[in-house]
Amino acid sequence: MTWHRPLMVFAVAMAALVPVSVTGLVIDDRMLAGAPIWLKPLKFSVSFAVYALTLAWMLSLLPRRRRAGWWAGTVVAAAGAVEMVIITTQAVRGKGSHFNVATTFDERLFMLMGLTVVLLWTGTLVIALLLFRTRTLDRAAVWAVRLGAAVSLLGLAVGGLMLRPTPEQRAADRQGVAEVIGAHSVGVPDGGPTMPVTGWSTTGGDLRIPHFVGMHALQALPLLLVVLLALAPRLPRLRNECVRLRLVVVGAGVHTAALALTTWQALRGQPLTSPDGLTLGAAAGIAVLGAAATWLAVRVPPAAPAFPTGATPSARTKEPVA
């Protein structure tokens, strides 16, 4: 199995941009919307590196339709590269990359970024659809990959909510003086007090939180499966493919619920660090239901017999996959 080369090249480029961005944080003291100018290139380069590596691995699992997968992965890599060039260019210029319509040049760059996001989402969708047809792994592994890709698409789609203009921006736009259209924050202006490292608002809602939570299901659910396989030698019940599949589905459900909860919290203008009673109650409900579903997944006797101790999932790769 060969990992997707354009995505790997893109991941390496993003990894190389990390020390550049860190250096910028150290030697460049410029601020934009209350954050260091080089913080955005740093966060995006790390996120894109992980995202590209994960997709490159997932594409290596496709036994068929490799050509379609290659083109979809290449579109994702190219779109991500263009977006990072714009983000970095604007950082060098000391300008905002997102929502910036202050000048014709800034507006065109922002519109181009919008196109790259659409292409990135579409490429990921194609990869997700191809993954839903793969039958090369055991069922738990297949569904960890499939559901991770599906929830990731939902998280990426949340980014579209950031494009909605605020009432103040609408008024400025009608007068032809708008410099920004769209915002990360809800209920407060962008650039207020934020959490360290992430830069998420501590005074209002922040749509970057559900965007992050959903997008990284792409890594979280396969990682959950890796943990289950690592625990299988000590916990015999986890050696059963059916039990692992159930737990992966539970994990996907909890992750999707967390995405919905953080989106709801952000849209109500509530910071992650100051949840109200409704948010805490919903979180507790998710935790209780998740724990109950996990208990049932492990305790209810599996429909299929467990494979013998020491056997590996590869021994069952020829079985039909749901």
Side-chain angles (χ1 to χ4, degrees), residues 266-319:
L267 289 175
R268 290 187 293 136
Q270 185 180 113
L272 181 68
T273 52
S274 303
D276 62 8
L278 284 174
T279 302
L280 291 174
I286 293 172
V288 169
L289 290 175
T294 299
W295 185 85
L296 288 173
V298 174
R299 300 302 301 175
V300 174
F307 55 84
T309 302
T312 62
S314 61
R316 307 188 60 170
T317 56
K318 294 185 179 180
E319 292 186 7

Side-chain angles (χ1 to χ4, degrees), residues 213-306:
V213 170
M215 186 173 69
H216 290 292
L218 197 69
Q219 294 84 38
L221 293 180
L223 182 60
L224 170 62
L225 180 64
V226 169
V227 172
L228 295 177
L229 290 172
L231 293 174
R234 297 184 179 182
L235 302 174
R237 188 59 64 92
L238 295 182
R239 298 172 194 165
N240 189 284
E241 178 188 287
C242 184
V243 171
R244 296 196 307 275
L245 174 59
R246 292 173 181 174
L247 291 174
V248 165
V249 173
V250 171
V254 171
H255 203 112
T256 304
L259 168 60
L261 176 60
T262 52
T263 303
W264 179 54
Q265 183 181 16
L267 289 175
R268 290 187 293 136
Q270 185 180 113
L272 181 68
T273 52
S274 303
D276 62 8
L278 284 174
T279 302
L280 291 174
I286 293 172
V288 169
L289 290 175
T294 299
W295 185 85
L296 288 173
V298 174
R299 300 302 301 175
V300 174

Side-chain angles (χ1 to χ4, degrees), residues 40-41 43 57 78 91 121 153-154 167 286 315 320:
K40 181 171 288 186
K43 292 193 297 183
W57 166 69
W121 193 90
L153 284 168
L154 293 176
I286 293 172

Side-chain angles (χ1 to χ4, degrees), residues 16-297:
L17 185 58
V18 170
V20 175
S21 300
V22 171
T23 302
L25 286 172
V26 173
I27 67 175
D28 190 344
D29 60 359
R30 290 178 299 168
M31 304 286 288
L32 182 68
I37 197 74
W38 284 96
L39 183 59
K40 181 171 288 186
L42 175 60
K43 292 193 297 183
F44 270 75
S45 58
V46 172
S47 181
F48 267 134
V50 175
Y51 193 79
L53 282 173
T54 307
L55 286 182
W57 166 69
M58 288 182 170
L59 284 170
S60 74
L61 304 177
L62 295 177
R64 295 178 295 171
R65 298 178 179 85
R66 286 186 174 273
R67 187 172 182 82
W70 187 90
W71 279 108
T74 302
V75 166
V76 171
V82 171
E83 183 168 354
M84 283 306 303
V85 167
I86 295 173
I87 290 172
T88 306
T89 298
Q90 291 294 72
V92 171
R93 296 178 65 229
K95 305 293 184 180
S97 52
H98 289 73
F99 319 125
N100 187 359
V101 295
T103 67
T104 301
F105 180 70
D106 292 325
E107 183 176 8
R108 287 177 178 173
L109 287 182
F110 180 46
M111 292 176 64
L112 180 57
M113 286 184 66
L115 175 61
T116 65
V117 170
V118 172
L119 291 174
L120 192 149
W121 193 90
T122 303
T124 304
L125 174 62
V126 171
I127 293 171
L129 293 175
L130 293 174
L131 289 170
F132 264 81
R133 299 181 66 86
T134 187
R135 298 172 181 270
T136 59
L137 308 174
D138 71 3
R139 291 184 299 165
V142 165
W143 281 101
V145 171
R146 289 173 175 174
L147 294 174
V151 179
S152 177
L153 284 168
L154 293 176
L156 287 169
V158 169
L161 297 175
M162 303 180 199
L163 299 176
R164 300 180 306 169
T166 65
E168 295 78 13
Q169 291 170 354
R170 291 193 188 97
D173 189 43
R174 285 193 294 267
Q175 298 174 12
V177 296
E179 294 187 355
V180 176
I181 295 294
H184 300 128
S185 302
V186 178
V188 296
D190 283 346
T194 61
M195 297 172 60
V197 182
T198 63
W200 296 335
S201 176
T202 57
T203 57
D206 198 316
L207 289 166
R208 289 173 294 185
I209 299 171
H211 184 59
F212 175 89
V213 170
M215 186 173 69
H216 290 292
L218 197 69
Q219 294 84 38
L221 293 180
L223 182 60
L224 170 62
L225 180 64
V226 169
V227 172
L228 295 177
L229 290 172
L231 293 174
R234 297 184 179 182
L235 302 174
R237 188 59 64 92
L238 295 182
R239 298 172 194 165
N240 189 284
E241 178 188 287
C242 184
V243 171
R244 296 196 307 275
L245 174 59
R246 292 173 181 174
L247 291 174
V248 165
V249 173
V250 171
V254 171
H255 203 112
T256 304
L259 168 60
L261 176 60
T262 52
T263 303
W264 179 54
Q265 183 181 16
L267 289 175
R268 290 187 293 136
Q270 185 180 113
L272 181 68
T273 52
S274 303
D276 62 8
L278 284 174
T279 302
L280 291 174
I286 293 172
V288 169
L289 290 175
T294 299
W295 185 85
L296 288 173

